[in-house]
Amino acid sequence: MCLLVFFTLKITESVEIPSKPNVVLIYGDDVGYGDLNVYGHPTSWTPNLDRMAREGLRMLQFYSAAPICSPSRASLMTGRLYPRTGVYRSPSSTNPTGLDVFSPGDGGGMLLSEITVAQVLKEHGYATGMVGKWHLGIGEQGEYLPHSRGFDSYFGLPFTQSACLSDINPVPPSPDHPGYCFLYRNSTIVSQPADIRDLDAVYVQEAKEFISNHQHEPFFFYFASHHTHRPQWASSRYQDTTRRGIFGDALAELDWSVGEILSHLESLSLDSQTLVVFMSDNGPELKDIETGGEQGPLKCGKGTTYEGGVREPAIFWWPGIIPSHSISESISSTLDLFTTIVSLTGATLPNDRATDGIDLTQLLTNDTTAIVRDRFFYYSGVYLMAVRYHHYKVHFWTMGSHCFPPYPDQDCWDTTTLSRKDPPLLFNLDHDPKERHSLNLTEYHSTMETILKITAEHNRSMTLGVPMIGKLYNNAKFFPCCSPSCKPRPLCCSCSNDIF
Ligand code: MG
């Protein structure tokens, strides 16, 4: 605690926040709490993210709203717990909680009644753009894509890049990797199958062009990287460049992208007018062993509602507004980005629906030591698995995921099925971040009473959206194809690859 106090600078005089500031949101994929050098990894090469943290604010208790990709992104875009947004599968015996992601054969996506932060900002006069992984559906006419959800422009792979590469080595497009890898510009496929070996450089160029083109008006840009989701890959410039192997190379390339964006903002003198945020969608992929990510001192990883599945690195950078070397110990979440961005930009929150975010403006602009959240709700699909209240966490249900033997903790394994905890498990996360030592409930009777009360209140407030994952699945009908009339799909889906 002494160290934190020493390095944390509390602003005592209010700062002048620019009217309609720009926002750049950089989202990593499966980057774990312990993966960045600035979060303690000894061999990661992340000088630009480390610089962001040094010059801005690093969060220690920051949560993604979900332990896997699609639902996490639904909450990021809407500021709402993802069961409200329809981004889950109808629970079944093979998927008892309904936690899942969209696949290319899904005809649906995040419910069209949901309002994204891009929609709100666009209506508020912002230019809005995105590159990268969307993972909230496509739709037969592209109605679920970013270009239809508030983004003026979109370029990228809407899904994970796993279909574009082999599991072991980067491979060029070939008959073995047919139409599964498709790049969109707005609602049109511009390359299929796409060669993504230099995709980072293209994304960065797109980002720079967007920022340059809109430098004289307020803008919101969402840079959703594919790194460091499996399979790991890096462009030739980054292969074999780090001590951490292919995962380290992929992470270094993501870090390079961050540095390019920061430098570009500075070169245009936009840095003091632009909030830049880095965070990740969910915890590390433990099944990849040494080529997967790192959860640091936390338990389990991707797919679970243990801390390693959802607690994430998060860095806020805004020179002149956020003091350098700041560290926040407050609970906070991707859910809070929507509310905070709306507040900072002077836009208006939708008033016809529940939102689950908290405004972080005070924390970012006035007092980085402020404690802004006292609770967090851990969902797996439609199951409320656990609740955090201050430094206590209660597990009502547990389940492993995305992890196999010989990983030493059996609680994390895929084969460890959904299990109700009766009595619940109670942990003190300040003393025991790895959730190893369950407390005696008799000694913590009043704490449990409080948590059960806020849990009951929360349950009364939760309204589920219609489950959209798998609802309209039809691979033959909905699989994206750049030449829709060709047969047999997707093998015949081949279009020029001239974007590089
Ligand atoms: Mg992910």
Side-chain angles (χ1 to χ4, degrees):
M1 188 63 189
C2 292
L3 279 175
L4 295 180
V5 170
F6 179 77
F7 283 113
T8 301
L9 176 63
K10 179 175 178 176
I11 304 177
T12 52
E13 296 177 9
S14 61
V15 293
E16 189 169 338
I17 303 171
S19 171
K20 288 194 169 184
N22 309 311
V23 179
V24 175
L25 177 55
I26 305 171
Y27 213 37
D29 194 355
D30 297 8
V31 178
Y33 187 80
D35 274 320
L36 309 186
N37 185 267
V38 71
Y39 276 79
H41 198 284
T43 54
S44 286
W45 180 250
T46 53
N48 293 295
L49 287 161
D50 301 347
R51 172 196 162 196
M52 265 186 83
R54 196 168 57 247
E55 296 177 358
L57 170 67
R58 180 163 62 99
M59 313 291 272
L60 299 183
Q61 317 253 4
F62 188 91
Y63 289 95
S64 175
I68 59 174
C69 304
S70 293
S72 167
R73 289 153 203 267
S75 289
L76 177 72
M77 285 293 104
T78 64
R80 281 154 58 83
L81 286 162
Y82 62 91
R84 301 187 196 276
T85 72
V87 182
Y88 65 96
R89 181 180 291 274
S90 191
S92 66
S93 58
T94 55
N95 186 341
T97 71
L99 181 70
D100 212 335
V101 297
F102 289 108
S103 60
D106 267 307
M110 181 174 72
L111 286 167
L112 294 175
S113 54
E114 291 300 311
I115 298 173
T116 70
V117 64
Q119 280 174 266
V120 172
L121 292 180
K122 184 178 169 75
E123 287 171 14
H124 191 50
Y126 274 62
T128 56
M130 176 186 175
V131 294
K133 177 174 168 178
W134 173 242
H135 220 174
L136 291 174
I138 293 177
E140 196 167 13
Q141 306 297 325
E143 62 271 27
Y144 293 97
L145 283 167
H147 195 229
S148 304
R149 309 301 300 264
F151 289 95
D152 297 328
S153 63
Y154 170 64
F155 177 78
L157 292 171
F159 290 91
T160 300
Q161 85 292 350
S162 51
C164 308
L165 303 162
S166 82
D167 269 1
I168 300 171
N169 296 303
V171 291
S174 74
D176 293 335
H177 293 74
Y180 289 78
C181 180
F182 36 79
L183 269 168
Y184 275 83
R185 181 169 298 283
N186 299 331
S187 300
T188 304
I189 298 174
V190 294
S191 180
Q192 184 179 23
D195 179 350
I196 69 162
R197 286 172 293 181
D198 288 319
L199 192 57
D200 290 83
V202 181
Y203 281 176
V204 165
Q205 187 58 33
E206 292 272 335
K208 287 181 175 177
E209 285 177 12
F210 178 90
I211 292 169
S212 294
N213 291 341
H214 299 286
Q215 60 181 298
H216 300 302
E217 59 182 324
F219 63 79
F220 169 63
F221 194 77
Y222 176 27
F223 188 100
S225 175
H226 300 279
H227 295 307
T228 51
H229 197 290
R230 75 194 304 262
Q232 303 301 333
W233 104 102
S235 71
S236 56
R237 288 187 310 134
Y238 276 89
Q239 287 172 29
D240 302 319
T241 59
T242 70
R243 293 173 63 190
R244 202 182 159 183
I246 186 62
F247 186 98
D249 299 346
L251 182 60
E253 188 150 43
L254 166 58
D255 181 82
W256 167 79
S257 304
V258 174
E260 289 294 299
I261 291 169
L262 297 185
S263 299
H264 192 63
L265 290 168
E266 289 169 322
S267 73
L268 297 173
S269 301
L270 292 174
D271 43 322
S272 62
Q273 299 171 51
T274 308
L275 168 65
V276 182
V277 186
F278 172 83
M279 55 187 66
S280 174
D281 67 338
N282 53 257
E285 185 76 80
L286 300 185
K287 69 184 173 191
D288 284 345
I289 314 295
E290 69 165 343
T291 59
E294 175 60 60
Q295 76 277 56
L298 308 177
K299 182 180 175 79
C300 299
K302 181 174 181 176
T304 76
T305 47
Y306 293 107
E307 290 297 289
V310 287
R311 204 193 293 191
E312 297 299 326
I315 304 170
F316 291 72
W317 183 87
W318 195 353
I321 305 293
I322 299 174
S324 61
H325 296 287
S326 297
I327 293 174
S328 170
E329 294 183 282
S330 178
I331 301 171
S332 50
S333 168
T334 47
L335 289 162
D336 303 332
L337 261 288
F338 185 104
T339 309
T340 303
I341 290 171
V342 167
S343 170
L344 283 170
T345 58
T348 306
L349 273 179
N351 60 8
D352 62 344
R353 62 199 62 208
T355 53
D356 298 295
I358 285 175
D359 185 358
L360 303 178
T361 298
Q362 183 200 0
L363 188 153
L364 297 178
T365 65
N366 187 257
D367 180 2
T368 55
T369 64
I371 301 299
V372 292
R373 252 188 191 276
D374 63 2
R375 64 198 66 181
F376 181 74
F377 299 96
Y378 303 72
Y379 273 87
S380 176
V382 295
Y383 274 61
L384 178 58
M385 304 285 283
V387 173
R388 178 170 178 176
Y389 183 62
H390 293 286
H391 51 284
Y392 292 108
K393 178 178 179 183
V394 171
H395 290 270
F396 299 108
W397 299 85
T398 59
M399 186 169 66
S401 187
H402 287 252
C403 181
F404 310 124
Y407 190 83
D409 187 345
Q410 192 170 341
D411 291 345
C412 315
W413 294 358
D414 256 357
T415 49
T416 301
T417 55
L418 181 67
S419 167
R420 182 172 186 176
K421 297 301 166 192
D422 189 13
L425 302 176
L426 174 67
F427 296 96
N428 179 334
L429 293 177
D430 279 357
H431 298 173
D432 181 20
K434 223 173 184 61
E435 301 166 88
R436 285 183 292 202
H437 310 294
S438 184
L439 301 173
N440 183 330
L441 296 187
T442 306
E443 292 178 28
Y444 291 88
H445 181 71
S446 64
T447 301
M448 281 302 296
E449 270 195 333
T450 304
I451 294 176
L452 291 174
K453 185 167 170 242
I454 67 169
T455 302
E457 285 170 7
H458 173 76
N459 286 337
R460 283 195 293 275
S461 77
M462 173 55 72
T463 306
L464 302 179
V466 176
M468 293 299 287
I469 297 178
K471 182 169 185 275
L472 302 171
Y473 186 85
N474 184 330
N475 207 44
K477 182 175 181 183
F478 294 119
F479 194 96
C481 185
C482 58
S483 47
S485 58
C486 77
K487 292 181 180 175
R489 292 168 64 179
L491 283 169
C492 65
C493 301
S494 178
C495 297
S496 67
N497 193 18
D498 57 2
I499 58 164
F500 297 109

